[in-house]
Amino acid sequence: MTQSAHPTGLPLSPERIFAAMNAFQATAALRGAIELEVFTAIAEGATTIPALAARCQASERGLRILCDFLTIQGFLTKNGETYGLAEDSAIFLNKHSPTYFGSVATFMNSSHLMDAFGNLAETVRRGTTLLSGDGSMDPEHPMWIEFARSMIPMMMPAAQEIAASVSTLNPCRVLDIAAGHGIFGITIAKQNPHAEITALDWANVLTVAQENAQAFGVAERYQTLPGSAFELDWGTDYDLILFTNFLHHFDVPTCEALIRKASAALNENGRVITLEFVPNEDRITPPPLAMFSLVMLAMTTHGDAYTFAEYDQMFRAAGFVRNEMQQLTKSPQRIIVSSRQ
């Protein structure tokens, strides 16, 4: 029997399959290092195992093995017995960096999220999440507190681009649907002194948004609307409504119902900005956007990563005649700007 070969002529290897089977180890190692503040400690000068053990209050054996693993993974460098930070680790995993990203792991690697992938074969068989109730969309779900407290570093670049695009809109009454941490509305208010923000979300989550509005100095122009987006009266005469990473949780009829509600809440010249994981029509590119469908399969009853054609159809069904997609420059995500004229 001849050995299978790649089109290049080289023998095929199960290395990629083996790496995928063991990928959870890299996830666990990275989160463990973030919790122990290994990257921050090295940035502070604790570059040897004894120094790291003292700074991180952990065993020398544990840190040696962890740091070597992280070096193999490319997050650290090693010269003799001295460890250093890879360039991206120095920028995003050192707590003293203004672009610190480590808090994102609290949500991305939380049990709420990871447990949803515990039996993916059965999830695929059923075509829906195995989580109880409505999955991640259960009212007052505690995971959204984790989301609100953890995800600002990941969302800030998109928030800044959206805010810049509406910085000259005056007056500017903004409704931020499923506001979470509130950073999208808050950043608009920070850049536009005429902006008045109303943040809608569950009451327990809005406490985080209010804290952030206070911290960013816009609390006087920031009000909250606690409750369900499906049940509350949103009000009227908004200049801008934000759907940021919200519509992907639902099926098409539910999305259309929400979009119709947005249409009724806007003034004549109002717009909707939708931030989403919007894959190309082939549904496999770009990978960071296309792969998000699997998250929705595991976490929700009917959610998906919809294509622009699908969003365009949803918004047109709700009376929006102009929908334009834009690629953000500092985020893999895309925005859709929708208007009724």
Side-chain angles (χ1 to χ4, degrees), residues 104-132:
V104 174
T106 304
F107 175 74
M108 296 292 289
N109 300 144
S110 67
S111 60
H112 302 302
L113 192 63
M114 297 186 72
D115 288 353
F117 290 84
N119 189 351
L120 194 60
E122 184 59 25
T123 300
V124 172
R125 289 189 187 101
R126 298 186 187 186
T128 190
T129 183
L130 301 184
L131 299 177
S132 60

Side-chain angles (χ1 to χ4, degrees), residues 180-182 186 199 203-219 222-226:
H181 38 63
I186 289 168
N204 60 338
V205 179
L206 286 175
T207 59
V208 181
Q210 288 174 306
E211 292 171 7
N212 290 331
Q214 186 70 42
F216 280 84
V218 298
Y222 197 87
Q223 61 180 340
T224 59
L225 188 59

Side-chain angles (χ1 to χ4, degrees), residues 35 58 73 137 164 176 187 191 205-206 226 233-234 250 283 286 296 298 301 322 331 340:
E35 291 180 357
Q73 293 289 312
M137 298 313 295
D176 188 359
T187 306
Q191 292 197 20
V205 179
L206 286 175
D233 180 351
W234 294 2
F250 310 108
R283 295 189 182 278
M296 291 297 94
T301 53
R322 187 175 181 181
S331 166
R340 293 169 300 177

Side-chain angles (χ1 to χ4, degrees), residues 266-285:
L266 286 170
N267 61 31
E268 182 179 357
N269 298 312
R271 292 178 288 170
V272 173
I273 292 182
T274 304
L275 173 73
E276 276 295 351
F277 298 85
V278 186
N280 295 335
E281 298 303 315
D282 61 12
R283 295 189 182 278
I284 58 173
T285 58

Side-chain angles (χ1 to χ4, degrees), residues 86 88 202 294 311 318:
D88 53 356
W202 293 316
L294 188 67
Y311 278 119

Side-chain angles (χ1 to χ4, degrees), residues 327-338:
Q327 176 66 59
L328 298 177
T329 62
K330 298 180 180 179
S331 166
Q333 289 194 276
R334 292 162 168 174
I335 62 171
I336 300 170
V337 182
S338 304

Side-chain angles (χ1 to χ4, degrees), residues 36-47:
L36 290 166
E37 299 188 359
V38 169
F39 302 103
T40 303
I42 292 174
E44 292 171 350
T47 59

